[in-house]
């Protein structure tokens, strides 16, 4: 039965020019949950550490500044009350200095950085003569009678701050690790029902009567998903069952009238007084009945997804198909011939092979206006070579789509499902159908029974 799809003629570049899809990295849901916990734990701990460090610095600075201010004021009071005799201030990590006016010049030489400082609290840092770093706060209070300086050593404070920062880093690392463990445990708990649901779905693969999933899960989100899958499975099973019943009913109901037609035709052909013109027409009816029978058998196999077996002679099927198409040529200047070696056999029912080759040969005959159509027999394949106009790139890209009718189809009748049926038969039997440009014009359609990758522009069977 010839398809209304345009004659197969895809360009080899039509396949090779398609950009290859880059595989996208997709994180599993379990990994996303773990990563979320790690980032949350790390972010919160880091924020807490930063806040603690900032608060510590502010509090320490405020306390030290307040202590220095109070101590230098007290130092000035004692100095003035003692008439300049009391110069020592017994405070830990602090040293007090007082300089009378006659010592200002010497102070500029000994401590030039102190000499020009205004009243207030300043931070002094640098390195000693031996290269050791130092840092201290310096409180300055200048009066006409004397200049007062109070130095607060920050060395121990800097060391303590460094230890505190290291401790905070350790806390961030530890709590991030704890977040990782909690995330791992939570992801396992959260994903366990989903994994069980997926496992049960995989266990039902290939079953025509899957069991309900919802009773195995609690009334939560996974349970709702299981209910939705049960509902979808039930509706899908009903659709498949109705489709199978419809195909079986159609097959059964059509076989009866076809059997009546076959018997009537055989009785009419047995009459010796029939003229040749009438005999030719009845033989055409007989061939049409055989094509209908083969097509019904092939479609029934496809609907059931059952791979029938047989020992079909490829050459005999080709001869029958060519003979049937010769009777439909009329006055069309087209030659149909077969070449190659006979003897190839295929493990499939004759009906399936007849439908697959019949569509390829039918397309070649329909769209080749003149010239010849050659069917070449190979040890593991059949080539249908025509001298037609070929196909455009757009037609080639959509060659095996169901319902697609190419630009060369014109106003011809049909629904454009012939090559789609061929593709589905190839998927069922493990065959391979492909096309390539002819040597001068037209196309070469190849049906290979032992799939290889040697066929140019080969199309794997589509379901």
């Amino acid at each position: 039965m010839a398809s209304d799809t345009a004659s197969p003629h895809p360009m080899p570049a039509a396949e090779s020019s398609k950009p290859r899809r880059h595989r996208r990295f997709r994180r599993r849901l379990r990994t996303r949950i773990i990563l979320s916990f790690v980032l949350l734990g790390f972010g919160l701990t880091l924020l807490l550490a930063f806040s603690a460090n900032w608060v510590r610095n502010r509090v320490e600075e405020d306390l030290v500044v307040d202590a220095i201010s109070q101590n230098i004021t007290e130092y000035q009071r004692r100095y003035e009350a003692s008439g300049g005799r009391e110069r020592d201030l017994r405070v830990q990590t602090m040293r007090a200095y007082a300089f009378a006016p006659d010592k200002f010049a010497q102070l500029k030489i000994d401590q030039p950085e102190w000499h020009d400082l205004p009243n207030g609290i300043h931070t002094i840092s640098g390195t000693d003569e031996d290269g050791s770093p130092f840092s201290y706060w310096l409180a300055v209070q200048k009066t006409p009678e004397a200049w007062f300086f109070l130095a607060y050593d920050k060395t121990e404070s800097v060391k303590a701050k460094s230890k505190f920062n290291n401790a905070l880093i350790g806390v961030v690392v530890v709590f991030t690790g704890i977040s990782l463990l909690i995330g791992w445990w939570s992801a396992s708990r959260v994903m366990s029902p989903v994994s069980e649901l997926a496992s049960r779905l995989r266990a039902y693969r290939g079953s025509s009567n899957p069991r309900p999933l919802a009773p195995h899960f609690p009334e939560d989100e996974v349970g709702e998903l299981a209910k939705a899958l049960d509902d979808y499975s039930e509706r899908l099973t009903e659709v498949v069952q109705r489709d199978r019943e419809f195909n079986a009913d159609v097959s059964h109901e059509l076989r009866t009238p076809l059997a009546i037609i076959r018997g009537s035709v055989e009785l009419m052909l047995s009459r010796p007084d029939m003229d040749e013109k009438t005999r030719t027409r009845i033989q055409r009816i007989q061939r049409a009945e055989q094509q209908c029978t083969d097509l019904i058998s092939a479609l029934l196999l496809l609907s059931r997804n059952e791979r029938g077996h047989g020992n079909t002679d490829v050459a005999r099927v080709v001869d029958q198909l060519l003979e049937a198409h010769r009777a439909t040529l009329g006055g069309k200047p087209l030659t149909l011939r077969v070449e190659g070696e006979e003897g190839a056999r295929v493990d499939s029912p004759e009906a399936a092979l007849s439908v697959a080759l019949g569509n390829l040969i039918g397309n070649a005959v329909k769209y080749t206006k003149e010239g010849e159509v050659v069917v070449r027999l190979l040890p593991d394949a059949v080539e249908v070579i025509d001298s037609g106009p070929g196909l455009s790139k757009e037609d080639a890209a959509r060659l095996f789509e169901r319902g697609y009718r190419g630009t060369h189809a014109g106003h011809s009748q049909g629904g454009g499902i012939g090559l789609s049926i061929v593709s589905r038969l190839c998927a069922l039997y493990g065959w391979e159908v492909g096309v390539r440009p002819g040597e001068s014009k037209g196309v070469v359609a190849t049906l290979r029974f032992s799939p290889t990758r040697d066929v140019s522009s080969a199309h794997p069977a589509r379901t």
Side-chain angles (χ1 to χ4, degrees):
M1 182 176 180
S3 169
D4 299 276
T5 310
S7 174
H9 184 189
M11 299 300 181
E15 289 285 328
S16 60
S17 62
K18 291 182 179 179
R20 297 180 62 184
R21 289 185 177 180
H22 298 282
R23 293 183 178 178
R24 298 179 178 179
F25 174 71
R26 298 180 178 179
R27 288 190 295 269
R28 298 172 58 189
L29 184 57
R30 183 191 302 272
T31 307
R32 294 182 182 182
I33 296 175
I34 296 174
L35 185 61
S36 299
F37 270 89
V38 171
L39 292 178
L40 179 62
F42 174 76
L44 290 179
T45 309
L46 187 64
L47 181 62
L48 179 62
F50 176 81
S51 302
N53 188 54
W54 181 82
V55 171
R56 175 188 179 278
N57 291 336
R58 287 297 302 272
V59 171
E60 181 185 30
E61 184 176 350
D62 291 344
L63 291 175
V64 171
V65 169
D66 184 65
I68 291 175
S69 300
Q70 292 179 7
N71 277 276
I72 195 170
T73 300
E74 177 65 17
Y75 179 60
Q76 179 185 357
R77 188 188 65 79
R78 291 182 183 182
Y79 179 85
E80 293 174 350
S82 64
R85 290 189 301 273
E86 187 173 351
R87 296 176 176 269
D88 294 334
L89 182 63
R90 300 176 181 273
V91 181
Q92 189 177 10
T93 70
M94 290 188 187
R95 295 185 64 182
Y97 303 90
F99 297 94
D102 59 337
K103 301 293 184 180
F104 291 169
Q106 187 62 34
L107 176 64
K108 188 173 184 179
I109 296 174
D110 296 338
Q111 297 287 349
E113 66 275 11
W114 289 15
H115 184 274
D116 299 327
L117 291 176
N119 290 346
I121 298 176
H122 310 276
T123 300
I124 307 298
S125 59
T127 55
D128 294 331
E129 295 179 357
D130 58 355
S132 300
F134 66 86
S135 179
Y136 59 91
W137 277 300
L138 182 66
V140 181
Q141 191 165 316
K142 296 180 179 180
T143 65
E145 292 77 15
W147 288 1
F148 302 95
F149 298 91
L150 183 64
Y152 181 89
D153 189 5
K154 292 174 57 178
T155 303
E156 295 300 325
S157 177
V158 171
K159 293 180 180 179
K161 183 178 180 180
S162 177
K163 292 180 180 179
F164 183 75
N165 290 337
N166 291 335
L168 289 180
I169 294 175
V171 169
V172 171
V173 173
V174 170
F175 275 85
T176 301
I178 294 175
S179 300
L180 175 61
L181 295 178
I182 295 175
W184 191 284
W185 178 82
S186 300
S188 299
R189 295 280 296 178
V190 170
M191 294 305 301
S192 177
V194 179
S195 300
E196 182 183 355
L197 178 60
S199 177
R200 289 184 178 276
L201 281 174
R202 283 192 294 267
Y204 295 159
R205 183 179 301 170
S207 174
S208 59
N209 187 23
R211 289 167 290 178
L213 297 169
H216 300 281
F217 300 93
E219 296 291 336
D220 55 8
E221 289 78 3
V222 179
E224 292 296 323
L225 178 59
K227 289 181 180 179
L229 288 174
D230 287 340
D231 180 65
Y232 178 75
S233 175
E234 183 178 354
R235 288 186 284 112
L236 187 61
T237 302
E238 291 177 357
V239 171
V240 173
Q241 186 64 28
R242 287 198 301 267
D243 182 65
R244 289 181 176 177
E245 291 176 356
F246 172 78
N247 291 328
D249 293 342
V250 169
S251 174
H252 178 269
E253 296 299 327
L254 288 180
R255 288 180 187 275
T256 300
L258 288 174
I260 295 174
I261 294 174
R262 183 188 305 114
S264 300
V265 168
E266 291 175 354
L267 288 176
M268 295 178 68
L269 289 176
S270 63
R271 295 175 54 183
D273 57 342
M274 183 180 300
D275 59 277
E276 190 62 29
K277 187 175 183 180
T278 303
R279 182 177 295 275
T280 302
R281 291 177 177 174
I282 294 178
Q283 288 176 344
R284 184 173 181 180
I285 296 174
Q286 187 181 39
R287 287 190 294 267
E289 180 274 331
Q290 185 61 45
Q291 288 179 348
C292 289
T293 302
D294 293 341
L295 182 59
I296 291 173
S297 300
L299 292 178
L300 190 60
L301 290 174
L302 288 175
S303 67
R304 295 176 178 173
N305 198 29
E306 295 178 356
R307 181 173 177 175
H309 296 279
N311 189 20
T312 304
D313 188 345
V314 178
R316 187 170 67 87
V317 173
V318 170
D319 289 336
Q320 293 175 354
L321 292 173
L322 290 182
E323 185 63 29
H325 283 291
R326 287 192 185 97
T328 63
L329 292 178
K332 191 175 183 179
L334 184 63
T335 302
L336 307 180
R337 63 185 179 88
V338 61
E339 64 180 27
E341 299 180 0
E342 299 183 0
R345 292 185 173 275
V346 178
D347 181 18
S348 73
E350 184 175 323
L353 181 61
S354 178
V355 170
L357 285 176
N359 277 282
L360 297 179
I361 297 174
N363 272 339
V365 172
K366 178 183 292 187
Y367 296 104
T368 303
K369 303 302 180 183
E370 59 181 1
E372 65 176 0
V373 173
V374 180
V375 180
R376 181 178 298 161
L377 301 178
L378 301 175
D380 62 347
V382 175
E383 293 182 346
V384 181
I385 308 168
D386 65 58
S387 56
L391 285 180
S392 64
K393 290 184 178 180
E394 180 183 358
D395 291 339
R398 305 180 60 185
L399 182 63
F400 291 96
E401 290 184 10
R402 181 178 177 85
Y404 178 72
R405 302 179 73 242
T407 55
H408 291 93
H411 299 286
S412 60
Q413 298 179 352
I417 63 173
L419 291 180
S420 174
I421 294 175
V422 175
S423 177
R424 293 171 61 194
L425 285 172
C426 290
L428 183 63
Y429 286 97
W431 301 339
E432 192 175 76
V433 61
V435 293
R436 67 174 185 271
E439 295 181 359
S440 58
K441 59 179 180 178
V443 297
V444 178
T446 304
L447 181 63
R448 189 174 296 277
F449 308 116
S450 299
T452 64
R453 295 300 174 188
D454 298 331
V455 180
S456 177
S457 185
H459 291 260
R462 305 176 185 177
T463 56

